[in-house]
Amino acid sequence: MGNSNKSSIWLLIALIAFLGLSAFLWFQNSQLSSKLDAHEKELFELEKVNAELDQDYQAALASLEEFRGENNELNNLIDSQKKELSAQKDKINNLIWSKRELGKAREEISQIKGMMTQNLQELSTLREENTRLANLNKKLETEKVQLSNEVNREREINTELSEAKTILVSQKEQLDKSNEVLSSKVDMAMAIKINWLEVKGYEVKDDGNLKKKSKG
């Protein structure tokens, strides 16, 4: 066999080896490309679910804050529900990024939506009840003020009546004393008159006989 034939054989072997390597590299590249596409698709789905979670979480927080006011009981319930919501979000984040269980994560997100609907209804009912109680307390406070004013007015009237009674008693006592004095004067006048009527004198007439004489 000549050198020319040997070179052809080696060239053919090299060509076959190159083609085999190229095919192997193409296969490997194809596999890597498929894995990369699958990874990118998975990452896209993870980010999509995570974005949905964040959107629902922020919307839930905003809805809860709309119920915040001056009522401590209502505010405490809001804070409690926010903590519960935060714990649920952490749990779903773990399902998304650690366990890659997107199906279960979506189920948990759906459950959060249902929980938030129930929580918001509870807050709405509690706020309506608090509003009703606040209006009732306001009405009772108004009635209390009115009653207090009436009581004070009654006390003023009673005080005025007591003072008037005291004045009347004093005037009666003075009148009684005046009546006593007047009665004494009348009795004295009557006694004087009676004494005047009963006192009689005698005078000697010209004929020597005695004649009764009244002294005025």
Side-chain angles (χ1 to χ4, degrees), residues 60-86:
L61 290 181
S63 297
L64 289 174
E65 285 299 323
E66 289 180 359
F67 287 91
R68 190 177 294 278
E70 298 180 357
N71 185 274
N72 291 331
E73 181 183 1
L74 191 63
N75 292 339
N76 290 336
L77 181 58
I78 291 172
D79 292 335
S80 175
Q81 292 180 353
K82 287 176 67 176
K83 289 180 180 179
E84 184 179 357
L85 189 64
S86 178

mmCIF file of all heavy atoms in Angstrom, residues 60-86:
data_model
loop_
_atom_site.group_PDB
_atom_site.id
_atom_site.type_symbol
_atom_site.label_atom_id
_atom_site.label_comp_id
_atom_site.label_asym_id
_atom_site.label_seq_id
_atom_site.Cartn_x
_atom_site.Cartn_y
_atom_site.Cartn_z
ATOM 1 N N ALA A 60 -54.111 43.215 48.834
ATOM 2 C CA ALA A 60 -54.716 42.806 50.112
ATOM 3 C C ALA A 60 -54.331 43.774 51.225
ATOM 4 O O ALA A 60 -55.176 44.169 52.046
ATOM 5 C CB ALA A 60 -54.278 41.391 50.461
ATOM 6 N N LEU A 61 -53.052 44.185 51.260
ATOM 7 C CA LEU A 61 -52.606 45.149 52.278
ATOM 8 C C LEU A 61 -53.355 46.466 52.141
ATOM 9 O O LEU A 61 -53.775 47.063 53.143
ATOM 10 C CB LEU A 61 -51.097 45.386 52.150
ATOM 11 C CG LEU A 61 -50.161 44.245 52.538
ATOM 12 C CD1 LEU A 61 -48.707 44.675 52.358
ATOM 13 C CD2 LEU A 61 -50.396 43.790 53.969
ATOM 14 N N ALA A 62 -53.495 46.931 50.895
ATOM 15 C CA ALA A 62 -54.202 48.198 50.661
ATOM 16 C C ALA A 62 -55.662 48.085 51.102
ATOM 17 O O ALA A 62 -56.213 49.015 51.711
ATOM 18 C CB ALA A 62 -54.122 48.569 49.182
ATOM 19 N N SER A 63 -56.283 46.953 50.808
ATOM 20 C CA SER A 63 -57.687 46.761 51.206
ATOM 21 C C SER A 63 -57.833 46.756 52.721
ATOM 22 O O SER A 63 -58.786 47.312 53.271
ATOM 23 C CB SER A 63 -58.213 45.446 50.625
ATOM 24 O OG SER A 63 -58.207 45.480 49.213
ATOM 25 N N LEU A 64 -56.879 46.129 53.400
ATOM 26 C CA LEU A 64 -56.923 46.094 54.863
ATOM 27 C C LEU A 64 -56.747 47.493 55.453
ATOM 28 O O LEU A 64 -57.450 47.877 56.399
ATOM 29 C CB LEU A 64 -55.831 45.163 55.398
ATOM 30 C CG LEU A 64 -56.049 43.663 55.178
ATOM 31 C CD1 LEU A 64 -54.818 42.882 55.623
ATOM 32 C CD2 LEU A 64 -57.275 43.159 55.938
ATOM 33 N N GLU A 65 -55.819 48.267 54.880
ATOM 34 C CA GLU A 65 -55.540 49.601 55.414
ATOM 35 C C GLU A 65 -56.719 50.550 55.233
ATOM 36 O O GLU A 65 -56.838 51.531 55.959
ATOM 37 C CB GLU A 65 -54.292 50.186 54.746
ATOM 38 C CG GLU A 65 -52.992 49.589 55.236
ATOM 39 C CD GLU A 65 -52.779 49.804 56.734
ATOM 40 O OE1 GLU A 65 -53.150 50.881 57.240
ATOM 41 O OE2 GLU A 65 -52.258 48.890 57.385
ATOM 42 N N GLU A 66 -57.579 50.267 54.252
ATOM 43 C CA GLU A 66 -58.757 51.123 54.051
ATOM 44 C C GLU A 66 -59.701 51.077 55.248
ATOM 45 O O GLU A 66 -60.493 52.003 55.453
ATOM 46 C CB GLU A 66 -59.507 50.683 52.791
ATOM 47 C CG GLU A 66 -58.778 51.015 51.496
ATOM 48 C CD GLU A 66 -59.558 50.566 50.273
ATOM 49 O OE1 GLU A 66 -60.647 49.979 50.469
ATOM 50 O OE2 GLU A 66 -59.086 50.789 49.152
ATOM 51 N N PHE A 67 -59.601 50.015 56.029
ATOM 52 C CA PHE A 67 -60.485 49.868 57.193
ATOM 53 C C PHE A 67 -59.866 50.456 58.461
ATOM 54 O O PHE A 67 -60.522 50.488 59.496
ATOM 55 C CB PHE A 67 -60.806 48.385 57.429
ATOM 56 C CG PHE A 67 -61.756 47.804 56.438
ATOM 57 C CD1 PHE A 67 -61.297 47.206 55.275
ATOM 58 C CD2 PHE A 67 -63.122 47.873 56.647
ATOM 59 C CE1 PHE A 67 -62.176 46.663 54.356
ATOM 60 C CE2 PHE A 67 -64.011 47.333 55.736
ATOM 61 C CZ PHE A 67 -63.536 46.734 54.582
ATOM 62 N N ARG A 68 -58.617 50.899 58.385
ATOM 63 C CA ARG A 68 -57.947 51.431 59.576
ATOM 64 C C ARG A 68 -58.547 52.778 59.960
ATOM 65 O O ARG A 68 -58.828 53.617 59.110
ATOM 66 C CB ARG A 68 -56.445 51.568 59.349
ATOM 67 C CG ARG A 68 -55.666 51.886 60.638
ATOM 68 C CD ARG A 68 -54.162 51.931 60.365
ATOM 69 N NE ARG A 68 -53.667 50.617 59.985
ATOM 70 C CZ ARG A 68 -53.355 49.665 60.857
ATOM 71 N NH1 ARG A 68 -53.526 49.873 62.160
ATOM 72 N NH2 ARG A 68 -52.901 48.503 60.436
ATOM 73 N N GLY A 69 -58.755 52.939 61.265
ATOM 74 C CA GLY A 69 -59.326 54.187 61.751
ATOM 75 C C GLY A 69 -58.919 54.421 63.192
ATOM 76 O O GLY A 69 -57.803 54.093 63.598
ATOM 77 N N GLU A 70 -59.856 54.955 63.989
ATOM 78 C CA GLU A 70 -59.560 55.284 65.384
ATOM 79 C C GLU A 70 -59.969 54.177 66.348
ATOM 80 O O GLU A 70 -59.679 54.266 67.537
ATOM 81 C CB GLU A 70 -60.290 56.584 65.763
ATOM 82 C CG GLU A 70 -59.836 57.794 64.949
ATOM 83 C CD GLU A 70 -60.568 59.053 65.340
ATOM 84 O OE1 GLU A 70 -61.463 58.960 66.206
ATOM 85 O OE2 GLU A 70 -60.242 60.127 64.795
ATOM 86 N N ASN A 71 -60.637 53.149 65.830
ATOM 87 C CA ASN A 71 -61.086 52.059 66.693
ATOM 88 C C ASN A 71 -59.942 51.072 66.915
ATOM 89 O O ASN A 71 -59.418 50.478 65.960
ATOM 90 C CB ASN A 71 -62.287 51.349 66.062
ATOM 91 C CG ASN A 71 -62.871 50.290 66.966
ATOM 92 O OD1 ASN A 71 -62.416 49.149 66.962
ATOM 93 N ND2 ASN A 71 -63.862 50.660 67.761
ATOM 94 N N ASN A 72 -59.543 50.886 68.170
ATOM 95 C CA ASN A 72 -58.404 50.020 68.495
ATOM 96 C C ASN A 72 -58.691 48.555 68.177
ATOM 97 O O ASN A 72 -57.806 47.832 67.704
ATOM 98 C CB ASN A 72 -58.042 50.167 69.978
ATOM 99 C CG ASN A 72 -57.446 51.522 70.287
ATOM 100 O OD1 ASN A 72 -56.820 52.142 69.432
ATOM 101 N ND2 ASN A 72 -57.643 52.002 71.505
ATOM 102 N N GLU A 73 -59.915 48.116 68.449
ATOM 103 C CA GLU A 73 -60.260 46.721 68.176
ATOM 104 C C GLU A 73 -60.129 46.415 66.691
ATOM 105 O O GLU A 73 -59.570 45.379 66.295
ATOM 106 C CB GLU A 73 -61.694 46.443 68.640
ATOM 107 C CG GLU A 73 -62.133 45.003 68.420
ATOM 108 C CD GLU A 73 -63.583 44.772 68.815
ATOM 109 O OE1 GLU A 73 -64.238 45.752 69.237
ATOM 110 O OE2 GLU A 73 -64.056 43.622 68.695
ATOM 111 N N LEU A 74 -60.629 47.326 65.862
ATOM 112 C CA LEU A 74 -60.550 47.149 64.411
ATOM 113 C C LEU A 74 -59.105 47.182 63.935
ATOM 114 O O LEU A 74 -58.686 46.364 63.108
ATOM 115 C CB LEU A 74 -61.368 48.236 63.720
ATOM 116 C CG LEU A 74 -61.620 48.074 62.221
ATOM 117 C CD1 LEU A 74 -62.438 46.814 61.954
ATOM 118 C CD2 LEU A 74 -62.334 49.288 61.657
ATOM 119 N N ASN A 75 -58.313 48.116 64.458
ATOM 120 C CA ASN A 75 -56.906 48.228 64.063
ATOM 121 C C ASN A 75 -56.103 47.001 64.472
ATOM 122 O O ASN A 75 -55.221 46.543 63.727
ATOM 123 C CB ASN A 75 -56.290 49.484 64.673
ATOM 124 C CG ASN A 75 -56.875 50.759 64.085
ATOM 125 O OD1 ASN A 75 -57.432 50.734 62.986
ATOM 126 N ND2 ASN A 75 -56.765 51.859 64.800
ATOM 127 N N ASN A 76 -56.389 46.468 65.642
ATOM 128 C CA ASN A 76 -55.688 45.254 66.097
ATOM 129 C C ASN A 76 -56.017 44.063 65.202
ATOM 130 O O ASN A 76 -55.140 43.240 64.903
ATOM 131 C CB ASN A 76 -56.075 44.936 67.544
ATOM 132 C CG ASN A 76 -55.504 45.941 68.533
ATOM 133 O OD1 ASN A 76 -54.505 46.601 68.251
ATOM 134 N ND2 ASN A 76 -56.128 46.075 69.677
ATOM 135 N N LEU A 77 -57.264 43.978 64.781
ATOM 136 C CA LEU A 77 -57.665 42.894 63.881
ATOM 137 C C LEU A 77 -56.964 43.039 62.532
ATOM 138 O O LEU A 77 -56.525 42.041 61.941
ATOM 139 C CB LEU A 77 -59.183 42.907 63.696
ATOM 140 C CG LEU A 77 -59.770 41.806 62.799
ATOM 141 C CD1 LEU A 77 -59.398 40.423 63.335
ATOM 142 C CD2 LEU A 77 -61.282 41.953 62.704
ATOM 143 N N ILE A 78 -56.831 44.265 62.049
ATOM 144 C CA ILE A 78 -56.123 44.518 60.784
ATOM 145 C C ILE A 78 -54.669 44.084 60.899
ATOM 146 O O ILE A 78 -54.127 43.411 60.010
ATOM 147 C CB ILE A 78 -56.217 46.011 60.408
ATOM 148 C CG1 ILE A 78 -57.654 46.364 60.025
ATOM 149 C CG2 ILE A 78 -55.272 46.341 59.249
ATOM 150 C CD1 ILE A 78 -57.888 47.839 59.813
ATOM 151 N N ASP A 79 -54.011 44.457 61.995
ATOM 152 C CA ASP A 79 -52.610 44.076 62.195
ATOM 153 C C ASP A 79 -52.459 42.556 62.263
ATOM 154 O O ASP A 79 -51.498 41.994 61.721
ATOM 155 C CB ASP A 79 -52.068 44.715 63.479
ATOM 156 C CG ASP A 79 -51.959 46.224 63.365
ATOM 157 O OD1 ASP A 79 -51.841 46.727 62.230
ATOM 158 O OD2 ASP A 79 -51.997 46.909 64.406
ATOM 159 N N SER A 80 -53.399 41.900 62.914
ATOM 160 C CA SER A 80 -53.359 40.441 63.019
ATOM 161 C C SER A 80 -53.505 39.789 61.643
ATOM 162 O O SER A 80 -52.787 38.837 61.300
ATOM 163 C CB SER A 80 -54.468 39.959 63.955
ATOM 164 O OG SER A 80 -54.526 38.551 63.996
ATOM 165 N N GLN A 81 -54.424 40.303 60.848
ATOM 166 C CA GLN A 81 -54.640 39.749 59.519
ATOM 167 C C GLN A 81 -53.445 40.019 58.603
ATOM 168 O O GLN A 81 -53.111 39.189 57.740
ATOM 169 C CB GLN A 81 -55.925 40.325 58.925
ATOM 170 C CG GLN A 81 -57.185 39.846 59.640
ATOM 171 C CD GLN A 81 -58.454 40.425 59.057
ATOM 172 O OE1 GLN A 81 -58.410 41.300 58.195
ATOM 173 N NE2 GLN A 81 -59.600 39.942 59.514
ATOM 174 N N LYS A 82 -52.784 41.158 58.788
ATOM 175 C CA LYS A 82 -51.600 41.466 57.988
ATOM 176 C C LYS A 82 -50.452 40.507 58.321
ATOM 177 O O LYS A 82 -49.710 40.075 57.428
ATOM 178 C CB LYS A 82 -51.168 42.912 58.225
ATOM 179 C CG LYS A 82 -52.085 43.931 57.569
ATOM 180 C CD LYS A 82 -51.690 45.365 57.908
ATOM 181 C CE LYS A 82 -50.358 45.717 57.307
ATOM 182 N NZ LYS A 82 -50.016 47.133 57.540
ATOM 183 N N LYS A 83 -50.301 40.165 59.593
ATOM 184 C CA LYS A 83 -49.277 39.207 59.979
ATOM 185 C C LYS A 83 -49.569 37.832 59.378
ATOM 186 O O LYS A 83 -48.660 37.151 58.896
ATOM 187 C CB LYS A 83 -49.206 39.112 61.509
ATOM 188 C CG LYS A 83 -48.606 40.334 62.182
ATOM 189 C CD LYS A 83 -48.571 40.158 63.692
ATOM 190 C CE LYS A 83 -47.974 41.390 64.374
ATOM 191 N NZ LYS A 83 -47.955 41.241 65.856
ATOM 192 N N GLU A 84 -50.825 37.443 59.442
ATOM 193 C CA GLU A 84 -51.214 36.161 58.867
ATOM 194 C C GLU A 84 -50.976 36.148 57.362
ATOM 195 O O GLU A 84 -50.497 35.156 56.797
ATOM 196 C CB GLU A 84 -52.689 35.893 59.173
ATOM 197 C CG GLU A 84 -53.182 34.535 58.695
ATOM 198 C CD GLU A 84 -54.638 34.295 59.045
ATOM 199 O OE1 GLU A 84 -55.228 35.166 59.710
ATOM 200 O OE2 GLU A 84 -55.170 33.234 58.660
ATOM 201 N N LEU A 85 -51.276 37.260 56.723
ATOM 202 C CA LEU A 85 -51.069 37.383 55.276
ATOM 203 C C LEU A 85 -49.585 37.310 54.926
ATOM 204 O O LEU A 85 -49.197 36.666 53.947
ATOM 205 C CB LEU A 85 -51.661 38.710 54.797
ATOM 206 C CG LEU A 85 -51.742 38.938 53.291
ATOM 207 C CD1 LEU A 85 -52.677 37.914 52.666
ATOM 208 C CD2 LEU A 85 -52.227 40.349 52.994
ATOM 209 N N SER A 86 -48.749 37.958 55.733
ATOM 210 C CA SER A 86 -47.301 37.929 55.507
ATOM 211 C C SER A 86 -46.751 36.515 55.653
ATOM 212 O O SER A 86 -45.884 36.080 54.868
ATOM 213 C CB SER A 86 -46.606 38.875 56.485
ATOM 214 O OG SER A 86 -45.201 38.837 56.315
#
